[in-house]
Coordinates of all heavy atoms in Angstrom, one line a residue:
M291 N -12.0 -8.9 -2.6 CA -10.6 -9.0 -2.4 C -10.2 -10.1 -1.6 O -9.9 -10.1 -0.5 CB -10.0 -7.7 -1.8 CG -10.2 -6.4 -2.6 SD -9.3 -5.1 -2.0 CE -9.7 -5.1 -0.3
E292 N -10.2 -11.4 -2.2 CA -10.0 -12.7 -1.4 C -8.6 -12.7 -0.8 O -8.3 -13.3 0.1 CB -10.4 -13.8 -2.2 CG -9.5 -14.0 -3.4 CD -10.0 -15.3 -4.1 OE1 -11.3 -15.3 -4.6 OE2 -9.1 -16.0 -4.6
W293 N -7.7 -11.9 -1.6 CA -6.2 -12.0 -1.1 C -6.2 -11.3 0.2 O -5.1 -11.6 1.0 CB -5.3 -11.3 -2.1 CG -5.8 -10.0 -2.6 CD1 -6.6 -9.6 -3.7 CD2 -5.4 -8.8 -1.9 NE1 -6.7 -8.3 -3.7 CE2 -6.1 -7.7 -2.7 CE3 -4.8 -8.5 -0.8 CZ2 -6.0 -6.4 -2.3 CZ3 -4.7 -7.1 -0.4 CH2 -5.3 -6.0 -1.1
S294 N -7.0 -10.5 0.5 CA -6.8 -9.6 1.8 C -6.9 -10.5 3.0 O -6.5 -10.2 4.1 CB -7.9 -8.5 1.8 OG -9.2 -9.0 1.9
D295 N -7.6 -11.7 2.9 CA -7.6 -12.5 4.0 C -6.2 -13.1 4.4 O -6.0 -13.6 5.5 CB -8.5 -13.8 3.7 CG -9.9 -13.5 3.5 OD1 -10.4 -12.3 3.9 OD2 -10.8 -14.2 2.9
R296 N -5.3 -13.1 3.5 CA -4.0 -13.6 3.8 C -3.0 -12.4 4.1 O -1.7 -12.6 4.0 CB -3.5 -14.5 2.6 CG -4.3 -15.7 2.5 CD -3.7 -16.7 1.4 NE -4.1 -16.2 0.1 CZ -3.2 -16.0 -0.8 NH1 -1.9 -16.5 -0.6 NH2 -3.6 -15.5 -2.0
A297 N -3.5 -11.2 4.2 CA -2.6 -10.0 4.4 C -1.8 -10.1 5.7 O -2.4 -10.4 6.8 CB -3.4 -8.8 4.5
A298 N -0.5 -9.9 5.7 CA 0.3 -9.8 6.8 C 0.1 -8.6 7.7 O 0.4 -8.7 8.9 CB 1.9 -9.7 6.3
C299 N -0.8 -7.7 7.3 CA -1.1 -6.5 8.2 C -2.4 -6.7 8.9 O -2.9 -5.6 9.5 CB -1.0 -5.3 7.3 SG -2.2 -5.3 5.8
L300 N -2.9 -7.8 8.8 CA -4.4 -8.0 9.4 C -4.4 -7.6 10.9 O -5.3 -7.0 11.4 CB -4.9 -9.3 9.3 CG -5.4 -9.7 7.8 CD1 -5.9 -11.2 7.8 CD2 -6.6 -8.8 7.6
T301 N -3.3 -7.9 11.6 CA -3.3 -7.6 13.0 C -2.4 -6.4 13.3 O -2.2 -6.1 14.5 CB -2.7 -8.8 13.7 OG1 -1.4 -9.1 13.2 CG2 -3.6 -10.0 13.6
A302 N -1.9 -5.6 12.3 CA -1.0 -4.5 12.6 C -1.9 -3.3 13.1 O -3.0 -3.2 12.8 CB -0.3 -4.1 11.2
E303 N -1.2 -2.3 13.7 CA -1.8 -1.2 14.1 C -2.2 -0.3 12.9 O -1.3 -0.1 11.9 CB -0.9 -0.3 15.0 CG -0.7 -0.9 16.3 CD -2.0 -0.8 17.1 OE1 -2.8 0.2 17.0 OE2 -2.3 -1.6 18.0
P304 N -3.4 0.2 12.6 CA -3.8 0.9 11.5 C -2.9 2.1 11.3 O -2.6 2.4 10.1 CB -5.2 1.3 11.7 CG -5.8 0.3 12.8 CD -4.6 -0.1 13.5
D305 N -2.5 2.8 12.4 CA -1.6 3.9 12.2 C -0.2 3.6 11.6 O 0.4 4.5 10.9 CB -1.4 4.5 13.6 CG -2.5 5.3 14.1 OD1 -3.5 5.5 13.4 OD2 -2.5 5.8 15.3
T306 N 0.1 2.3 11.6 CA 1.5 1.9 11.0 C 1.3 2.1 9.5 O 2.2 2.5 8.8 CB 1.8 0.5 11.3 OG1 1.9 0.4 12.7 CG2 3.2 0.0 10.8
F307 N 0.1 1.6 9.0 CA -0.1 1.6 7.5 C -0.7 3.0 7.0 O -0.6 3.4 5.8 CB -0.9 0.5 7.1 CG 0.0 -0.8 7.1 CD1 0.1 -1.5 8.2 CD2 0.6 -1.3 5.9 CE1 0.9 -2.6 8.3 CE2 1.3 -2.4 5.8 CZ 1.6 -3.1 7.1
F308 N -1.3 3.7 8.0 CA -2.0 5.0 7.5 C -1.5 6.0 8.5 O -2.4 6.5 9.3 CB -3.4 4.8 7.5 CG -4.0 3.9 6.5 CD1 -4.2 2.5 6.7 CD2 -4.2 4.3 5.2 CE1 -4.6 1.6 5.7 CE2 -4.6 3.5 4.1 CZ -4.8 2.2 4.4
P309 N -0.2 6.4 8.6 CA 0.3 7.5 9.5 C -0.5 8.8 9.3 O -0.9 9.0 8.2 CB 1.7 7.6 9.3 CG 1.9 6.8 7.9 CD 0.8 6.0 7.6
V310 N -0.5 9.6 10.3 CA -1.3 10.7 10.4 C -0.6 12.0 9.5 O -1.2 12.9 9.1 CB -1.6 11.3 11.6 CG1 -2.6 10.3 12.5 CG2 -0.2 11.5 12.6
S311 N 0.8 11.7 9.2 CA 1.4 12.7 8.4 C 2.5 11.9 7.5 O 2.5 10.8 7.5 CB 2.1 13.7 9.2 OG 3.2 13.2 9.8
S312 N 3.1 12.7 6.7 CA 4.1 12.1 5.9 C 5.6 12.7 6.2 O 6.4 12.6 5.5 CB 3.9 12.3 4.3 OG 3.7 13.7 4.2
T313 N 5.6 13.1 7.4 CA 6.9 13.7 7.8 C 7.2 13.2 9.3 O 6.4 12.6 10.0 CB 7.1 15.2 7.8 OG1 5.9 15.7 8.8 CG2 6.8 15.7 6.5
G314 N 8.5 13.5 9.8 CA 8.7 13.2 11.1 C 8.6 11.7 11.5 O 9.1 10.8 10.8
V315 N 8.1 11.4 12.7 CA 8.0 10.1 13.3 C 7.1 9.2 12.4 O 7.2 8.1 12.4 CB 7.7 10.0 14.7 CG1 8.6 10.7 15.6 CG2 6.1 10.7 14.8
A316 N 6.3 9.8 11.6 CA 5.4 9.0 10.7 C 6.3 8.3 9.7 O 5.9 7.2 9.3 CB 4.4 9.9 10.0
L317 N 7.4 8.7 9.4 CA 8.4 8.0 8.5 C 8.7 6.7 9.1 O 9.0 5.8 8.3 CB 9.4 8.9 8.1 CG 9.1 10.1 7.3 CD1 10.4 11.0 7.1 CD2 8.4 9.8 5.9
D318 N 8.8 6.6 10.4 CA 9.2 5.4 11.0 C 8.0 4.4 10.8 O 8.3 3.2 10.7 CB 9.4 5.6 12.5 CG 10.7 6.4 12.8 OD1 11.6 6.6 12.0 OD2 10.7 7.0 13.9
D319 N 6.8 4.8 10.9 CA 5.7 4.1 10.7 C 5.6 3.4 9.2 O 5.4 2.2 9.0 CB 4.3 4.7 11.0 CG 4.0 4.9 12.5 OD1 4.6 4.1 13.3 OD2 3.3 5.9 12.8
V320 N 5.9 4.4 8.4 CA 5.9 3.9 7.0 C 7.1 2.8 6.7 O 6.9 1.8 6.0 CB 6.3 5.1 6.0 CG1 6.6 4.6 4.5 CG2 4.9 6.0 6.0
A321 N 8.2 3.0 7.4 CA 9.3 2.0 7.3 C 8.9 0.7 7.7 O 9.2 -0.4 7.2 CB 10.6 2.6 7.9
V322 N 8.2 0.6 9.0 CA 7.8 -0.5 9.6 C 6.8 -1.2 8.7 O 6.8 -2.4 8.4 CB 7.2 -0.3 10.9 CG1 6.5 -1.6 11.5 CG2 8.3 0.1 11.9
A323 N 5.8 -0.5 8.1 CA 4.8 -1.0 7.2 C 5.5 -1.6 6.0 O 5.1 -2.7 5.6 CB 3.9 0.1 6.8
K324 N 6.4 -1.1 5.4 CA 7.0 -1.6 4.2 C 7.8 -2.9 4.5 O 7.9 -3.8 3.8 CB 8.0 -0.5 3.7 CG 7.3 0.7 2.9 CD 8.4 1.5 2.3 CE 7.6 2.6 1.6 NZ 8.6 3.6 1.0
T325 N 8.4 -2.9 5.7 CA 9.0 -4.1 6.2 C 8.0 -5.3 6.4 O 8.3 -6.4 5.9 CB 9.7 -3.9 7.6 OG1 10.8 -3.0 7.5 CG2 10.3 -5.2 8.1
I326 N 6.8 -5.1 6.7 CA 5.7 -6.0 7.0 C 5.4 -6.5 5.5 O 5.2 -7.6 5.2 CB 4.6 -5.5 7.8 CG1 4.9 -5.3 9.3 CG2 3.4 -6.4 7.7 CD1 3.9 -4.5 10.1
C327 N 5.2 -5.5 4.6 CA 4.8 -5.8 3.2 C 5.8 -6.7 2.6 O 5.4 -7.6 1.8 CB 4.7 -4.6 2.4 SG 3.3 -3.4 2.8
R328 N 7.2 -6.5 2.8 CA 8.1 -7.3 2.2 C 7.9 -8.8 2.4 O 8.3 -9.7 1.8 CB 9.5 -6.9 2.5 CG 9.9 -5.6 1.7 CD 11.4 -5.5 1.8 NE 11.8 -5.0 3.1 CZ 11.8 -3.7 3.5 NH1 11.4 -2.8 2.6 NH2 12.2 -3.4 4.7
A329 N 7.3 -9.1 3.7 CA 7.2 -10.5 4.1 C 5.8 -11.0 3.8 O 5.4 -12.1 4.2 CB 7.5 -10.7 5.5
C330 N 4.9 -10.2 3.1 CA 3.6 -10.5 3.0 C 3.5 -11.4 1.7 O 3.9 -11.1 0.7 CB 2.8 -9.2 2.7 SG 0.9 -9.5 2.5
A331 N 2.6 -12.5 2.0 CA 2.3 -13.4 0.8 C 1.4 -12.9 -0.4 O 1.5 -13.3 -1.6 CB 1.6 -14.7 1.3
V332 N 0.8 -11.8 -0.1 CA -0.1 -11.1 -1.2 C 0.3 -9.8 -1.6 O -0.4 -9.0 -2.1 CB -1.6 -11.2 -0.6 CG1 -2.0 -12.6 -0.5 CG2 -1.7 -10.4 0.7
V333 N 1.6 -9.5 -1.4 CA 2.2 -8.2 -1.9 C 1.9 -7.9 -3.2 O 1.5 -6.6 -3.4 CB 3.6 -8.1 -1.5 CG1 4.6 -8.9 -2.3 CG2 4.1 -6.6 -1.5
D334 N 2.0 -8.7 -4.1 CA 1.8 -8.3 -5.6 C 0.3 -7.9 -5.8 O 0.0 -7.0 -6.4 CB 2.2 -9.5 -6.5 CG 3.7 -9.6 -6.6 OD1 4.5 -8.7 -6.2 OD2 4.1 -10.8 -6.8
S335 N -0.7 -8.8 -5.3 CA -2.1 -8.5 -5.4 C -2.4 -7.2 -4.7 O -3.2 -6.4 -5.3 CB -2.8 -9.7 -4.9 OG -2.7 -10.9 -5.5
C336 N -1.8 -7.0 -3.6 CA -2.2 -5.8 -2.9 C -1.6 -4.5 -3.7 O -2.4 -3.6 -3.9 CB -1.6 -5.8 -1.4 SG -1.7 -4.3 -0.5
R337 N -0.6 -4.6 -4.2 CA 0.1 -3.5 -4.9 C -0.8 -3.2 -6.1 O -1.1 -2.0 -6.5 CB 1.6 -3.7 -5.3 CG 2.2 -2.5 -6.1 CD 3.6 -2.9 -6.5 NE 4.4 -3.4 -5.4 CZ 5.1 -4.6 -5.4 NH1 4.9 -5.5 -6.3 NH2 5.7 -5.0 -4.3
D338 N -1.1 -4.2 -6.9 CA -1.9 -4.1 -8.1 C -3.2 -3.4 -7.9 O -3.7 -2.6 -8.5 CB -2.1 -5.5 -8.8 CG -0.8 -6.0 -9.4 OD1 0.2 -5.3 -9.5 OD2 -0.8 -7.2 -9.7
Y339 N -3.9 -3.9 -6.6 CA -5.2 -3.3 -6.3 C -5.1 -1.9 -5.9 O -5.8 -1.0 -6.6 CB -5.7 -4.2 -5.2 CG -6.9 -3.4 -4.6 CD1 -8.2 -3.5 -5.1 CD2 -6.8 -2.5 -3.4 CE1 -9.3 -2.8 -4.7 CE2 -7.9 -2.0 -2.9 CZ -9.2 -2.2 -3.6 OH -10.2 -1.5 -3.0
A340 N -4.0 -1.4 -5.2 CA -3.8 -0.1 -4.8 C -3.6 0.8 -6.0 O -4.1 2.0 -6.0 CB -2.7 -0.1 -3.7
L341 N -2.9 0.3 -6.9 CA -2.5 1.0 -8.2 C -3.8 1.3 -9.0 O -4.0 2.3 -9.5 CB -1.4 0.5 -8.9 CG -0.1 0.6 -8.2 CD1 1.1 -0.2 -8.9 CD2 0.5 2.1 -8.1
S342 N -4.4 0.2 -9.3 CA -5.5 0.2 -10.2 C -6.7 0.9 -9.6 O -7.6 1.5 -10.4 CB -5.9 -1.2 -10.7 OG -6.4 -2.0 -9.5
S343 N -6.9 0.8 -8.3 CA -8.0 1.5 -7.6 C -7.6 2.9 -7.1 O -8.4 3.6 -6.5 CB -8.6 0.8 -6.6 OG -7.6 0.6 -5.6
R344 N -6.5 3.3 -7.4 CA -5.9 4.6 -7.1 C -6.1 5.0 -5.6 O -6.7 6.0 -5.2 CB -6.5 5.7 -8.0 CG -6.0 5.5 -9.3 CD -6.3 6.7 -10.3 NE -5.7 6.6 -11.5 CZ -4.5 7.3 -11.8 NH1 -4.0 8.1 -11.0 NH2 -3.9 7.0 -13.0
Q345 N -5.6 4.2 -4.7 CA -5.7 4.4 -3.3 C -4.8 5.6 -3.0 O -3.6 5.5 -3.3 CB -5.2 3.1 -2.4 CG -6.1 1.9 -2.6 CD -7.6 2.2 -2.2 OE1 -7.7 2.7 -1.0 NE2 -8.6 1.7 -2.9
P346 N -5.4 6.6 -2.4 CA -4.7 7.8 -2.2 C -3.8 7.9 -1.0 O -2.9 8.7 -0.9 CB -5.7 8.9 -2.2 CG -6.9 8.2 -1.6 CD -6.9 6.8 -2.1
F347 N -4.1 7.0 0.0 CA -3.5 7.1 1.4 C -2.9 5.9 1.8 O -3.4 4.7 1.4 CB -4.5 7.7 2.5 CG -5.1 9.0 2.0 CD1 -6.4 9.0 1.7 CD2 -4.4 10.1 2.0 CE1 -7.1 10.1 1.5 CE2 -5.1 11.3 1.7 CZ -6.4 11.3 1.4
G348 N -1.8 5.9 2.6 CA -1.3 4.8 3.3 C -0.3 3.9 2.5 O 0.0 4.3 1.3
V349 N 0.2 2.8 3.2 CA 1.1 2.0 2.5 C 0.3 0.7 2.0 O -0.4 0.2 2.8 CB 2.3 1.6 3.4 CG1 3.2 0.5 2.8 CG2 3.2 2.7 3.9
W350 N 0.5 0.5 0.6 CA -0.2 -0.7 0.1 C 0.8 -1.4 -0.8 O 1.6 -0.9 -1.5 CB -1.2 -0.4 -0.9 CG -2.5 0.4 -0.2 CD1 -2.6 1.7 0.3 CD2 -3.8 -0.2 0.0 NE1 -3.8 1.9 0.8 CE2 -4.7 0.8 0.6 CE3 -4.3 -1.5 -0.3 CZ2 -5.9 0.5 0.9 CZ3 -5.7 -1.8 0.1 CH2 -6.4 -0.8 0.6
G351 N 1.0 -2.7 -0.5 CA 2.0 -3.4 -1.4 C 3.3 -3.0 -1.4 O 4.1 -3.1 -2.3
G352 N 3.7 -2.5 -0.3 CA 5.1 -2.0 -0.1 C 5.4 -0.6 -0.7 O 6.5 -0.1 -0.6
L353 N 4.4 0.1 -1.2 CA 4.4 1.4 -1.8 C 3.8 2.4 -0.9 O 2.6 2.2 -0.5 CB 3.8 1.3 -3.2 CG 4.5 0.4 -4.2 CD1 3.7 0.6 -5.5 CD2 5.9 0.8 -4.5
D354 N 4.4 3.5 -0.7 CA 3.8 4.6 0.0 C 3.0 5.5 -1.0 O 3.1 5.3 -2.1 CB 4.8 5.3 0.9 CG 5.9 6.1 0.2 OD1 5.7 6.6 -1.1 OD2 7.1 6.1 0.6
E355 N 2.5 6.6 -0.4 CA 1.6 7.4 -1.3 C 2.5 8.1 -2.5 O 2.0 8.3 -3.7 CB 1.0 8.5 -0.5 CG 0.0 8.0 0.6 CD -0.2 9.0 1.6 OE1 0.0 10.1 1.6 OE2 -0.8 8.6 2.8
G356 N 3.7 8.6 -2.1 CA 4.5 9.3 -3.1 C 5.0 8.3 -4.2 O 5.0 8.6 -5.4
E357 N 5.3 7.1 -3.7 CA 5.7 6.1 -4.8 C 4.6 5.8 -5.8 O 4.8 5.6 -6.9 CB 6.2 4.9 -4.1 CG 7.6 5.1 -3.3 CD 7.9 4.0 -2.3 OE1 7.0 3.3 -1.8 OE2 9.1 3.8 -2.1
R358 N 3.3 5.7 -5.1 CA 2.2 5.4 -6.1 C 1.9 6.6 -7.0 O 1.7 6.4 -8.2 CB 0.9 5.0 -5.3 CG 1.0 3.7 -4.6 CD -0.4 3.3 -4.2 NE -1.0 4.1 -3.2 CZ -0.7 4.1 -2.0 NH1 0.1 3.4 -1.4 NH2 -1.3 5.0 -1.2
R359 N 2.1 7.8 -6.5 CA 1.8 8.9 -7.4 C 2.9 9.0 -8.5 O 2.6 9.4 -9.6 CB 1.9 10.2 -6.5 CG 0.7 10.5 -5.7 CD 0.6 11.9 -5.2 NE 1.6 12.2 -4.3 CZ 1.5 12.1 -3.0 NH1 0.4 11.6 -2.5 NH2 2.6 12.4 -2.3
A360 N 4.1 8.6 -8.2 CA 5.2 8.6 -9.2 C 4.8 7.5 -10.3 O 5.1 7.9 -11.4 CB 6.5 8.3 -8.6
I361 N 4.3 6.4 -9.9 CA 3.9 5.3 -10.9 C 2.8 5.9 -11.7 O 2.8 5.8 -13.0 CB 3.6 4.1 -10.2 CG1 4.9 3.5 -9.6 CG2 2.9 3.1 -11.2 CD1 4.7 2.3 -8.7
W362 N 1.8 6.5 -11.1 CA 0.6 7.0 -11.8 C 1.0 8.2 -12.8 O 0.5 8.3 -13.9 CB -0.4 7.5 -11.0 CG -1.1 6.5 -10.1 CD1 -1.3 5.3 -10.5 CD2 -1.6 6.7 -8.8 NE1 -2.0 4.6 -9.5 CE2 -2.2 5.5 -8.4 CE3 -1.6 7.7 -7.8 CZ2 -2.8 5.2 -7.0 CZ3 -2.2 7.5 -6.6 CH2 -2.8 6.2 -6.3
A363 N 2.1 8.9 -12.4 CA 2.5 10.0 -13.3 C 3.1 9.5 -14.5 O 3.0 10.0 -15.6 CB 3.5 10.9 -12.6
K364 N 3.7 8.3 -14.5 CA 4.4 7.7 -15.6 C 3.4 6.9 -16.5 O 3.6 6.7 -17.6 CB 5.4 6.7 -15.2 CG 6.8 7.5 -14.6 CD 7.7 6.5 -14.2 CE 8.9 7.1 -13.4 NZ 9.7 6.2 -12.9
S365 N 2.4 6.3 -15.7 CA 1.4 5.5 -16.4 C 0.0 5.8 -15.8 O -0.5 5.2 -15.0 CB 1.7 3.9 -16.2 OG 0.7 3.2 -16.7
P366 N -0.7 6.9 -16.4 CA -1.8 7.3 -15.8 C -2.9 6.3 -15.8 O -4.0 6.6 -15.1 CB -2.2 8.6 -16.6 CG -1.3 8.5 -17.8 CD -0.1 7.5 -17.5
T367 N -3.0 5.4 -16.6 CA -4.1 4.4 -16.7 C -3.6 3.1 -16.4 O -3.6 2.2 -17.5 CB -4.9 4.5 -18.0 OG1 -3.9 4.4 -19.0 CG2 -5.6 5.9 -18.2
P368 N -3.2 2.7 -15.3 CA -2.8 1.3 -15.0 C -3.8 0.2 -15.2 O -4.9 0.6 -15.2 CB -2.2 1.3 -13.6 CG -3.1 2.5 -13.0 CD -3.2 3.5 -14.0
A369 N -3.5 -0.9 -15.7 CA -4.5 -2.0 -15.9 C -5.2 -2.3 -14.7 O -4.7 -2.3 -13.7 CB -3.7 -3.2 -16.4
L370 N -6.4 -2.5 -14.8 CA -7.3 -2.8 -13.6 C -7.1 -4.3 -13.4 O -6.9 -5.1 -14.1 CB -8.9 -2.7 -14.1 CG -9.3 -1.2 -14.2 CD1 -10.7 -1.2 -14.7 CD2 -9.1 -0.5 -12.9
V371 N -7.2 -4.6 -12.0 CA -7.0 -5.9 -11.5 C -8.4 -6.6 -11.3 O -9.3 -5.8 -10.9 CB -6.2 -5.8 -10.1 CG1 -6.2 -7.2 -9.5 CG2 -4.9 -5.2 -10.3
T372 N -8.5 -7.7 -11.6 CA -9.9 -8.4 -11.5 C -9.8 -9.3 -10.2 O -8.7 -9.6 -9.7 CB -10.1 -9.3 -12.7 OG1 -9.0 -10.3 -12.8 CG2 -10.3 -8.5 -13.9
Ligands
SF4_1302 S1 1.4 -6.1 1.0 FE1 1.3 -4.8 2.9 S2 -0.5 -3.5 2.8 FE2 -0.8 -5.1 1.4 S3 -1.8 -6.8 2.4 FE3 0.4 -7.2 2.6 S4 1.1 -6.3 4.6 FE4 -0.9 -5.4 4.1

């Protein structure tokens, strides 16, 4: 994943992108993570990777777990990223 070297989240707190729950104050972490993603130069590559590799946890490419699950439900076999 050569794109990951340019990730805007490289220096972020891991809990911001992988909060311990999906309710309460963890939602603040998710919002912060999505804000960082919006300014990330590799957001498209990151989102494609997360969707194609079915990352189950955390915020990737501006999408949280529930948003990825919704996409998978509509398209169960997304194209693989090379
Ligand atoms: S899109 Fe978000 S999760 Fe993906 S590399 Fe960029 S900052 Fe990190």
Side-chain angles (χ1 to χ4, degrees):
M291 300 191 307
E292 64 187 48
W293 54 264
S294 64
D295 292 343
R296 296 184 287 133
C299 56
L300 282 179
T301 58
E303 288 291 328
D305 285 353
T306 303
F307 284 81
F308 295 93
V310 294
S311 77
S312 57
T313 61
V315 295
L317 295 178
D318 294 340
D319 287 331
V320 170
V322 170
K324 288 180 176 181
T325 298
I326 295 171
C327 290
R328 280 195 290 274
C330 180
V332 294
V333 63
D334 292 336
S335 296
C336 178
R337 182 185 305 119
D338 289 348
Y339 170 78
L341 288 170
S342 64
S343 61
R344 294 191 169 261
Q345 294 298 314
F347 304 113
V349 174
W350 293 76
L353 300 176
D354 62 35
E355 299 163 14
E357 291 167 330
R358 289 196 303 280
R359 281 195 297 271
I361 291 170
W362 291 328
K364 291 178 185 172
S365 179
T367 55
L370 289 176
V371 176
T372 56

